[in-house]
Amino acid sequence: MWTKPRTNLSKLLTTAIGMSLLAGSLAACSGTNSGADNGSAGQGGSAGNAGAADSAVAKEGMPIVQEPITLSLMAPDVGHAKWEDMAVLKEMEKLTNIKLTFQNAPQDSFETKKNLVFASGSYPDIFYAADLKPAEQVTYGSQGVLIPLEGLIDGGYAPNLKKILDENPQIRKNITTPDGHIYALPNVDLTAVWYRSPMWYNGSFLKKLGVSELPKTTDEFYAYLKRVKAEDANGNGKADEIPLTSTKLDDLRMFFFGFWGMYDEVIYADKDGKVHYSPQEEGYKGYLTFMNKLWSEELLDHETFSQTDEQKKAKGKNNQVAVFNDYYPYFTMGGEPSREHPMMQPLQSEIAGTPVYGKHPGQSANGVFAISKTNPNPEATMRWADYQYGYEGSLLFSQGPENVLWKYSDKATLTKEPLEVPGGGSRDDYKGTLTPNYGILPPGVNLPENNKGLQSDFDAFIAEENEKKLVPIGKIPFPNVFLTPEEQSEVTAMLSDMNPYVEQMEAKFITGQEPLSGWDKYAAQLKKMGSDRIVEIYQAAYDRWNGSK
């Protein structure tokens, strides 16, 4: 419906895994697939491949296989290095005795290439970082193209992942389709807080205006924006300050919705388990009213609906912007990472119980790893993937090999220290030549101990801001749920009309092209288009999820 911000840095991806709440799957009705036709591992043997499990595959320790095997892997490529040259993948081949051949496509065209491969009937052994949507998982799983993985997980070939699923049963629920199978694995980050990148204050403006305590209510925030506009906050003698800027509201909408009690831009469940469709909530009307007030008084950038992200950043680097969204503040303001620009404190509005914050769910919405039916060694493949769900594997993929960019300062406590980047230059860019965990979302887990000793003062600052401002009011908006085919078809048809209408009316209400007195007419039109039915369908899906084991 609305574009969500992305980043090309693996460090950022591992802490900000976007959750697409309306990616409800084209799911088969529960019980429609017995598993007999697509090789359920629960029936004995390897999942997706007939015959008994391969006794030559080690369930623990390395190498995974005594005799070398070769598997093909399809993945998106961000272009920093050839995958066959990456030190991490070379190290994996030495550890596991599994050699990989790569079928890469540029990240921008990977989705198209993936669809062509699924249509071709000729599949790689492994789909890696493949962004497999719920509908794709169920469609290609029920067709037998992707094999069920739960038998391999519970059969001893994924001890690291099984431990995660046993300790976090909601994750297993989130990746199990209505036919009872797991066709794709997630990226797991239980430490994550951000569901979207947050809002930031320009610290130099705060200092210039003598603000020692950040606004806590929408009224206080409005008053601060008025001061920015009136009091030459950047000190250049020109009236060129922009109190609040945005790019089509896609960057601030999620964060601001929480000021009016909404956890997500589209669908969320409240603390009592009641499902809501945000664009018809009273809180949404409050959001529109406030944003219209900012627009009418030129406190909201009047280029909001036309500018690019690059143009927005240029204003930040020119020290014109007071409040803005970005992953990190220095991405907009320029300079080095520092504590200068504080995270925005979510605001209390006239809505009771505010503010709230839509918290990261701890896992990717879409599947990032799957095994095709033509894979001759699913047990070995699962063990290869499972290594990335344990400490040593996740460390290897996230930080690169030991003694390149880091070394242990105290291995007993897993404490590390950074090493100089060979040849100088950007640490992140160099890391992108070592590991595929850069700019894409791979299988695996983000563990706090991976970064022990490697955190900067800026990392500590971000953690402190999260704990103080977001964690106390955070709630996961909605679980990953699979819809039945009938539900998905109905939702898709309704939202194809509703989404453009909501986006168009949001802009009109905020810019004053449509007076807010037209709210009742707007809400009635949404109901006519099926908004109550959307809530009904997602309530049923939520109740099914909540009642599953």
Side-chain angles (χ1 to χ4, degrees), residues 155-206:
Y157 294 100
N160 293 316
L161 178 58
K162 187 176 188 319
K163 183 174 186 292
I164 292 172
L165 299 183
D166 288 348
E167 293 175 353
N168 303 276
Q170 78 279 5
I171 296 180
R172 184 183 283 263
K173 287 165 62 173
N174 286 342
I175 63 176
T176 300
T177 60
D179 64 7
H181 292 307
I182 296 171
Y183 295 112
L185 305 182
N187 181 290
V188 177
D189 186 356
L190 298 173
T191 68
V193 176
W194 298 352
Y195 187 10
R196 301 282 188 275
S197 50
M199 304 294 297
W200 307 94
Y201 284 100
N202 180 334
S204 68
F205 282 21
L206 295 171

Short mmCIF file of all heavy atoms in Angstrom, two decimals, residues 155-206:
data_model
loop_
_atom_site.label_atom_id
_atom_site.label_comp_id
_atom_site.label_asym_id
_atom_site.label_seq_id
_atom_site.Cartn_x
_atom_site.Cartn_y
_atom_site.Cartn_z
N GLY A 155 13.92 -33.38 13.16
CA GLY A 155 14.62 -34.65 13.02
C GLY A 155 16.10 -34.58 13.32
O GLY A 155 16.82 -35.56 13.08
N GLY A 156 16.57 -33.45 13.81
CA GLY A 156 17.95 -33.37 14.26
C GLY A 156 18.90 -32.67 13.30
O GLY A 156 20.10 -32.58 13.59
N TYR A 157 18.39 -32.17 12.18
CA TYR A 157 19.27 -31.53 11.20
C TYR A 157 19.32 -30.01 11.35
O TYR A 157 19.98 -29.34 10.54
CB TYR A 157 18.84 -31.91 9.78
CG TYR A 157 19.04 -33.37 9.50
CD1 TYR A 157 17.98 -34.26 9.57
CD2 TYR A 157 20.31 -33.88 9.21
CE1 TYR A 157 18.16 -35.62 9.34
CE2 TYR A 157 20.50 -35.24 8.98
CZ TYR A 157 19.42 -36.10 9.04
OH TYR A 157 19.61 -37.44 8.82
N ALA A 158 18.64 -29.47 12.35
CA ALA A 158 18.66 -28.03 12.59
C ALA A 158 18.58 -27.75 14.09
O ALA A 158 17.64 -27.11 14.56
CB ALA A 158 17.51 -27.34 11.85
N PRO A 159 19.57 -28.21 14.86
CA PRO A 159 19.49 -28.04 16.32
C PRO A 159 19.47 -26.59 16.77
O PRO A 159 18.79 -26.25 17.74
CB PRO A 159 20.74 -28.76 16.83
CG PRO A 159 21.67 -28.82 15.64
CD PRO A 159 20.78 -28.94 14.45
N ASN A 160 20.20 -25.71 16.07
CA ASN A 160 20.20 -24.29 16.46
C ASN A 160 18.84 -23.64 16.23
O ASN A 160 18.31 -22.95 17.10
CB ASN A 160 21.27 -23.53 15.67
CG ASN A 160 22.67 -23.96 16.03
OD1 ASN A 160 23.01 -24.12 17.19
ND2 ASN A 160 23.51 -24.14 15.01
N LEU A 161 18.28 -23.90 15.06
CA LEU A 161 16.97 -23.33 14.76
C LEU A 161 15.90 -23.93 15.64
O LEU A 161 15.00 -23.22 16.12
CB LEU A 161 16.63 -23.55 13.29
CG LEU A 161 15.26 -23.04 12.83
CD1 LEU A 161 15.09 -21.55 13.09
CD2 LEU A 161 15.03 -23.36 11.36
N LYS A 162 15.96 -25.22 15.88
CA LYS A 162 14.95 -25.87 16.73
C LYS A 162 14.95 -25.27 18.13
O LYS A 162 13.89 -25.05 18.73
CB LYS A 162 15.17 -27.37 16.82
CG LYS A 162 14.05 -28.12 17.55
CD LYS A 162 14.25 -29.60 17.54
CE LYS A 162 13.04 -30.35 18.10
NZ LYS A 162 12.42 -29.75 19.28
N LYS A 163 16.13 -24.96 18.65
CA LYS A 163 16.22 -24.33 19.96
C LYS A 163 15.52 -22.98 19.95
O LYS A 163 14.78 -22.64 20.89
CB LYS A 163 17.69 -24.17 20.36
CG LYS A 163 17.91 -23.58 21.75
CD LYS A 163 19.40 -23.59 22.09
CE LYS A 163 19.63 -23.14 23.53
NZ LYS A 163 19.32 -21.71 23.73
N ILE A 164 15.73 -22.20 18.88
CA ILE A 164 15.07 -20.90 18.77
C ILE A 164 13.56 -21.07 18.72
O ILE A 164 12.80 -20.35 19.40
CB ILE A 164 15.57 -20.15 17.52
CG1 ILE A 164 17.03 -19.75 17.68
CG2 ILE A 164 14.71 -18.92 17.24
CD1 ILE A 164 17.66 -19.19 16.43
N LEU A 165 13.07 -22.03 17.92
CA LEU A 165 11.63 -22.24 17.78
C LEU A 165 11.02 -22.77 19.06
O LEU A 165 9.89 -22.41 19.42
CB LEU A 165 11.36 -23.20 16.62
CG LEU A 165 11.82 -22.75 15.23
CD1 LEU A 165 11.41 -23.77 14.18
CD2 LEU A 165 11.28 -21.37 14.88
N ASP A 166 11.74 -23.64 19.76
CA ASP A 166 11.22 -24.18 21.03
C ASP A 166 11.12 -23.09 22.09
O ASP A 166 10.18 -23.07 22.90
CB ASP A 166 12.12 -25.31 21.53
CG ASP A 166 12.00 -26.58 20.71
OD1 ASP A 166 11.06 -26.67 19.89
OD2 ASP A 166 12.84 -27.48 20.88
N GLU A 167 12.06 -22.16 22.08
CA GLU A 167 12.05 -21.09 23.07
C GLU A 167 11.13 -19.94 22.68
O GLU A 167 10.75 -19.14 23.53
CB GLU A 167 13.49 -20.55 23.26
CG GLU A 167 14.42 -21.57 23.90
CD GLU A 167 15.86 -21.07 23.98
OE1 GLU A 167 16.15 -19.99 23.42
OE2 GLU A 167 16.69 -21.76 24.61
N ASN A 168 10.77 -19.88 21.40
CA ASN A 168 9.90 -18.81 20.88
C ASN A 168 8.81 -19.42 20.01
O ASN A 168 8.85 -19.30 18.77
CB ASN A 168 10.73 -17.80 20.09
CG ASN A 168 11.87 -17.20 20.89
OD1 ASN A 168 11.68 -16.24 21.62
ND2 ASN A 168 13.05 -17.78 20.75
N PRO A 169 7.84 -20.08 20.63
CA PRO A 169 6.84 -20.81 19.85
C PRO A 169 6.04 -19.93 18.89
O PRO A 169 5.51 -20.43 17.90
CB PRO A 169 5.93 -21.42 20.92
CG PRO A 169 6.21 -20.66 22.18
CD PRO A 169 7.63 -20.23 22.08
N GLN A 170 5.99 -18.63 19.14
CA GLN A 170 5.26 -17.75 18.23
C GLN A 170 5.94 -17.71 16.86
O GLN A 170 5.26 -17.51 15.83
CB GLN A 170 5.11 -16.34 18.81
CG GLN A 170 6.33 -15.45 18.72
CD GLN A 170 7.36 -15.72 19.80
OE1 GLN A 170 7.21 -16.64 20.60
NE2 GLN A 170 8.41 -14.91 19.85
N ILE A 171 7.26 -17.89 16.83
CA ILE A 171 7.95 -17.88 15.55
C ILE A 171 7.57 -19.11 14.74
O ILE A 171 7.31 -19.02 13.53
CB ILE A 171 9.48 -17.81 15.74
CG1 ILE A 171 9.86 -16.48 16.40
CG2 ILE A 171 10.21 -17.95 14.40
CD1 ILE A 171 11.35 -16.32 16.65
N ARG A 172 7.50 -20.28 15.39
CA ARG A 172 7.06 -21.48 14.68
C ARG A 172 5.63 -21.29 14.14
O ARG A 172 5.33 -21.66 13.01
CB ARG A 172 7.12 -22.72 15.58
CG ARG A 172 6.77 -24.01 14.85
CD ARG A 172 6.78 -25.21 15.78
NE ARG A 172 8.11 -25.66 16.09
CZ ARG A 172 8.75 -26.66 15.48
NH1 ARG A 172 8.15 -27.28 14.45
NH2 ARG A 172 9.95 -27.03 15.85
N LYS A 173 4.77 -20.70 14.94
CA LYS A 173 3.41 -20.43 14.49
C LYS A 173 3.41 -19.51 13.26
O LYS A 173 2.65 -19.70 12.32
CB LYS A 173 2.59 -19.79 15.61
CG LYS A 173 2.20 -20.75 16.73
CD LYS A 173 1.71 -20.03 17.96
CE LYS A 173 0.47 -19.23 17.71
NZ LYS A 173 -0.09 -18.65 18.96
N ASN A 174 4.30 -18.52 13.29
CA ASN A 174 4.34 -17.53 12.22
C ASN A 174 4.84 -18.09 10.90
O ASN A 174 4.56 -17.51 9.84
CB ASN A 174 5.24 -16.36 12.62
CG ASN A 174 4.60 -15.45 13.65
OD1 ASN A 174 3.39 -15.46 13.84
ND2 ASN A 174 5.42 -14.65 14.32
N ILE A 175 5.58 -19.19 10.93
CA ILE A 175 6.14 -19.73 9.69
C ILE A 175 5.47 -21.04 9.27
O ILE A 175 5.88 -21.63 8.26
CB ILE A 175 7.67 -19.94 9.81
CG1 ILE A 175 8.02 -20.95 10.89
CG2 ILE A 175 8.37 -18.60 10.05
CD1 ILE A 175 9.52 -21.26 10.98
N THR A 176 4.46 -21.47 10.01
CA THR A 176 3.74 -22.71 9.68
C THR A 176 2.48 -22.36 8.91
O THR A 176 1.62 -21.63 9.39
CB THR A 176 3.39 -23.50 10.95
OG1 THR A 176 4.60 -23.83 11.64
CG2 THR A 176 2.66 -24.78 10.59
N THR A 177 2.36 -22.90 7.71
CA THR A 177 1.21 -22.62 6.85
C THR A 177 -0.01 -23.40 7.33
O THR A 177 0.11 -24.34 8.13
CB THR A 177 1.53 -23.00 5.40
OG1 THR A 177 1.85 -24.38 5.33
CG2 THR A 177 2.71 -22.18 4.88
N PRO A 178 -1.20 -23.08 6.83
CA PRO A 178 -2.40 -23.77 7.30
C PRO A 178 -2.40 -25.28 7.04
O PRO A 178 -3.15 -26.01 7.69
CB PRO A 178 -3.52 -23.09 6.50
CG PRO A 178 -3.01 -21.71 6.27
CD PRO A 178 -1.54 -21.89 6.02
N ASP A 179 -1.57 -25.78 6.11
CA ASP A 179 -1.52 -27.22 5.90
C ASP A 179 -0.56 -27.91 6.86
O ASP A 179 -0.30 -29.11 6.76
CB ASP A 179 -1.17 -27.56 4.45
CG ASP A 179 0.21 -27.10 4.02
OD1 ASP A 179 0.97 -26.61 4.89
OD2 ASP A 179 0.54 -27.21 2.82
N GLY A 180 0.00 -27.14 7.81
CA GLY A 180 0.84 -27.71 8.85
C GLY A 180 2.31 -27.79 8.51
O GLY A 180 3.10 -28.33 9.30
N HIS A 181 2.73 -27.24 7.37
CA HIS A 181 4.12 -27.35 6.94
C HIS A 181 4.86 -26.03 7.06
O HIS A 181 4.27 -24.95 7.01
CB HIS A 181 4.20 -27.84 5.49
CG HIS A 181 3.76 -29.26 5.31
ND1 HIS A 181 4.28 -30.30 6.04
CD2 HIS A 181 2.86 -29.80 4.45
CE1 HIS A 181 3.71 -31.43 5.65
NE2 HIS A 181 2.84 -31.16 4.69
N ILE A 182 6.18 -26.13 7.19
CA ILE A 182 7.09 -24.99 7.12
C ILE A 182 7.83 -25.11 5.79
O ILE A 182 8.57 -26.07 5.58
CB ILE A 182 8.09 -25.00 8.29
CG1 ILE A 182 7.35 -24.84 9.63
CG2 ILE A 182 9.14 -23.91 8.11
CD1 ILE A 182 8.24 -25.04 10.84
N TYR A 183 7.63 -24.16 4.91
CA TYR A 183 8.27 -24.21 3.60
C TYR A 183 9.44 -23.24 3.47
O TYR A 183 10.21 -23.33 2.50
CB TYR A 183 7.25 -23.90 2.49
CG TYR A 183 6.16 -24.93 2.37
CD1 TYR A 183 4.84 -24.62 2.70
CD2 TYR A 183 6.44 -26.22 1.93
CE1 TYR A 183 3.83 -25.57 2.58
CE2 TYR A 183 5.44 -27.18 1.81
CZ TYR A 183 4.13 -26.85 2.13
OH TYR A 183 3.13 -27.79 2.01
N ALA A 184 9.58 -22.30 4.38
CA ALA A 184 10.66 -21.33 4.30
C ALA A 184 11.05 -20.89 5.71
O ALA A 184 10.22 -20.88 6.63
CB ALA A 184 10.24 -20.11 3.48
N LEU A 185 12.31 -20.53 5.87
CA LEU A 185 12.84 -20.12 7.17
C LEU A 185 12.93 -18.60 7.24
O LEU A 185 13.14 -17.93 6.22
CB LEU A 185 14.23 -20.72 7.39
CG LEU A 185 14.33 -22.24 7.27
CD1 LEU A 185 15.77 -22.69 7.57
CD2 LEU A 185 13.35 -22.95 8.20
N PRO A 186 12.83 -18.03 8.44
CA PRO A 186 12.90 -16.57 8.60
C PRO A 186 14.30 -16.12 9.00
O PRO A 186 15.15 -16.92 9.41
CB PRO A 186 11.93 -16.33 9.75
CG PRO A 186 12.16 -17.53 10.63
CD PRO A 186 12.43 -18.69 9.69
N ASN A 187 14.53 -14.84 8.91
CA ASN A 187 15.63 -14.21 9.61
C ASN A 187 15.09 -13.82 10.99
O ASN A 187 14.00 -13.25 11.08
CB ASN A 187 16.11 -12.97 8.85
CG ASN A 187 17.27 -12.28 9.53
OD1 ASN A 187 17.12 -11.68 10.59
ND2 ASN A 187 18.44 -12.34 8.92
N VAL A 188 15.83 -14.13 12.02
CA VAL A 188 15.37 -13.91 13.40
C VAL A 188 16.23 -12.85 14.06
O VAL A 188 17.47 -12.91 14.01
CB VAL A 188 15.42 -15.21 14.22
CG1 VAL A 188 14.99 -14.96 15.66
CG2 VAL A 188 14.53 -16.28 13.58
N ASP A 189 15.59 -11.87 14.66
CA ASP A 189 16.30 -10.84 15.44
C ASP A 189 15.43 -10.46 16.63
O ASP A 189 14.62 -9.55 16.56
CB ASP A 189 16.60 -9.62 14.58
CG ASP A 189 17.47 -8.60 15.32
OD1 ASP A 189 17.76 -8.84 16.51
OD2 ASP A 189 17.85 -7.59 14.72
N LEU A 190 15.59 -11.19 17.71
CA LEU A 190 14.77 -10.98 18.89
C LEU A 190 15.18 -9.72 19.66
O LEU A 190 14.50 -9.32 20.60
CB LEU A 190 14.85 -12.21 19.80
CG LEU A 190 14.31 -13.49 19.18
CD1 LEU A 190 14.58 -14.69 20.08
CD2 LEU A 190 12.82 -13.38 18.89
N THR A 191 16.31 -9.12 19.28
CA THR A 191 16.75 -7.90 19.95
C THR A 191 16.21 -6.65 19.27
O THR A 191 16.36 -5.55 19.80
CB THR A 191 18.29 -7.81 19.95
OG1 THR A 191 18.76 -7.62 18.61
CG2 THR A 191 18.91 -9.08 20.52
N ALA A 192 15.59 -6.79 18.12
CA ALA A 192 15.18 -5.63 17.33
C ALA A 192 14.05 -4.86 18.01
O ALA A 192 13.17 -5.45 18.65
CB ALA A 192 14.75 -6.06 15.93
N VAL A 193 14.05 -3.57 17.84
CA VAL A 193 13.02 -2.69 18.38
C VAL A 193 12.28 -1.98 17.25
O VAL A 193 11.06 -1.91 17.23
CB VAL A 193 13.62 -1.64 19.34
CG1 VAL A 193 12.55 -0.66 19.82
CG2 VAL A 193 14.27 -2.34 20.53
N TRP A 194 13.03 -1.47 16.28
CA TRP A 194 12.43 -0.63 15.24
C TRP A 194 11.64 -1.47 14.24
O TRP A 194 12.14 -2.42 13.67
CB TRP A 194 13.49 0.14 14.49
CG TRP A 194 14.26 1.09 15.33
CD1 TRP A 194 14.00 1.44 16.62
CD2 TRP A 194 15.43 1.81 14.94
NE1 TRP A 194 14.92 2.34 17.06
CE2 TRP A 194 15.83 2.59 16.06
CE3 TRP A 194 16.18 1.88 13.77
CZ2 TRP A 194 16.94 3.42 16.02
CZ3 TRP A 194 17.29 2.71 13.73
CH2 TRP A 194 17.66 3.47 14.85
N TYR A 195 10.40 -1.06 14.05
CA TYR A 195 9.55 -1.64 13.02
C TYR A 195 9.70 -0.82 11.75
O TYR A 195 9.62 -1.33 10.64
CB TYR A 195 8.12 -1.63 13.55
CG TYR A 195 7.09 -2.32 12.72
CD1 TYR A 195 7.43 -3.12 11.64
CD2 TYR A 195 5.74 -2.19 13.03
CE1 TYR A 195 6.46 -3.76 10.90
CE2 TYR A 195 4.77 -2.82 12.30
CZ TYR A 195 5.14 -3.60 11.22
OH TYR A 195 4.18 -4.22 10.48
N ARG A 196 9.90 0.47 11.91
CA ARG A 196 10.29 1.39 10.85
C ARG A 196 11.37 2.29 11.46
O ARG A 196 11.48 2.41 12.68
CB ARG A 196 9.12 2.28 10.39
CG ARG A 196 7.93 1.53 9.86
CD ARG A 196 8.12 1.02 8.45
NE ARG A 196 6.88 0.48 7.96
CZ ARG A 196 6.46 -0.75 8.17
NH1 ARG A 196 7.18 -1.59 8.89
NH2 ARG A 196 5.30 -1.17 7.68
N SER A 197 12.12 2.94 10.62
CA SER A 197 13.12 3.88 11.14
C SER A 197 12.41 5.02 11.87
O SER A 197 11.35 5.47 11.45
CB SER A 197 13.99 4.41 10.00
OG SER A 197 13.20 4.90 8.94
N PRO A 198 13.00 5.51 12.96
CA PRO A 198 12.31 6.50 13.81
C PRO A 198 12.51 7.93 13.33
O PRO A 198 13.13 8.20 12.31
CB PRO A 198 12.98 6.28 15.17
CG PRO A 198 14.36 5.82 14.83
CD PRO A 198 14.25 5.02 13.55
N MET A 199 11.96 8.85 14.11
CA MET A 199 12.08 10.29 13.85
C MET A 199 13.19 10.85 14.73
O MET A 199 13.45 10.35 15.83
CB MET A 199 10.76 11.00 14.16
CG MET A 199 9.55 10.47 13.41
SD MET A 199 9.61 10.74 11.63
CE MET A 199 9.61 12.54 11.54
N TRP A 200 13.82 11.94 14.24
CA TRP A 200 14.95 12.55 14.95
C TRP A 200 14.79 14.07 14.99
O TRP A 200 14.19 14.67 14.10
CB TRP A 200 16.26 12.22 14.25
CG TRP A 200 16.48 10.75 14.01
CD1 TRP A 200 16.17 10.05 12.88
CD2 TRP A 200 17.04 9.82 14.93
NE1 TRP A 200 16.51 8.72 13.04
CE2 TRP A 200 17.04 8.55 14.28
CE3 TRP A 200 17.55 9.91 16.23
CZ2 TRP A 200 17.54 7.40 14.89
CZ3 TRP A 200 18.04 8.76 16.84
CH2 TRP A 200 18.04 7.53 16.17
N TYR A 201 15.39 14.66 16.02
CA TYR A 201 15.48 16.12 16.12
C TYR A 201 16.87 16.58 15.66
O TYR A 201 17.88 15.90 15.92
CB TYR A 201 15.29 16.58 17.57
CG TYR A 201 13.87 16.57 18.05
CD1 TYR A 201 13.40 15.52 18.84
CD2 TYR A 201 13.00 17.62 17.75
CE1 TYR A 201 12.08 15.51 19.31
CE2 TYR A 201 11.70 17.62 18.22
CZ TYR A 201 11.24 16.56 19.00
OH TYR A 201 9.96 16.56 19.46
N ASN A 202 16.92 17.69 15.01
CA ASN A 202 18.17 18.38 14.71
C ASN A 202 18.70 18.95 16.03
O ASN A 202 18.11 19.88 16.59
CB ASN A 202 17.92 19.49 13.69
CG ASN A 202 19.17 20.26 13.32
OD1 ASN A 202 20.13 20.33 14.07
ND2 ASN A 202 19.14 20.86 12.13
N GLY A 203 19.79 18.40 16.53
CA GLY A 203 20.31 18.79 17.84
C GLY A 203 20.78 20.23 17.90
O GLY A 203 20.68 20.88 18.95
N SER A 204 21.28 20.75 16.77
CA SER A 204 21.75 22.14 16.79
C SER A 204 20.60 23.12 16.95
O SER A 204 20.74 24.17 17.59
CB SER A 204 22.55 22.46 15.52
OG SER A 204 21.71 22.47 14.38
N PHE A 205 19.42 22.77 16.42
CA PHE A 205 18.24 23.62 16.60
C PHE A 205 17.81 23.61 18.06
O PHE A 205 17.44 24.65 18.61
CB PHE A 205 17.09 23.13 15.72
CG PHE A 205 17.19 23.52 14.27
CD1 PHE A 205 18.40 23.86 13.69
CD2 PHE A 205 16.05 23.53 13.46
CE1 PHE A 205 18.48 24.21 12.36
CE2 PHE A 205 16.12 23.88 12.12
CZ PHE A 205 17.34 24.22 11.57
N LEU A 206 17.81 22.44 18.67
CA LEU A 206 17.43 22.34 20.08
C LEU A 206 18.33 23.22 20.94
O LEU A 206 17.87 23.93 21.83
CB LEU A 206 17.51 20.88 20.55
CG LEU A 206 16.54 19.89 19.91
CD1 LEU A 206 16.90 18.46 20.33
CD2 LEU A 206 15.09 20.18 20.30
#
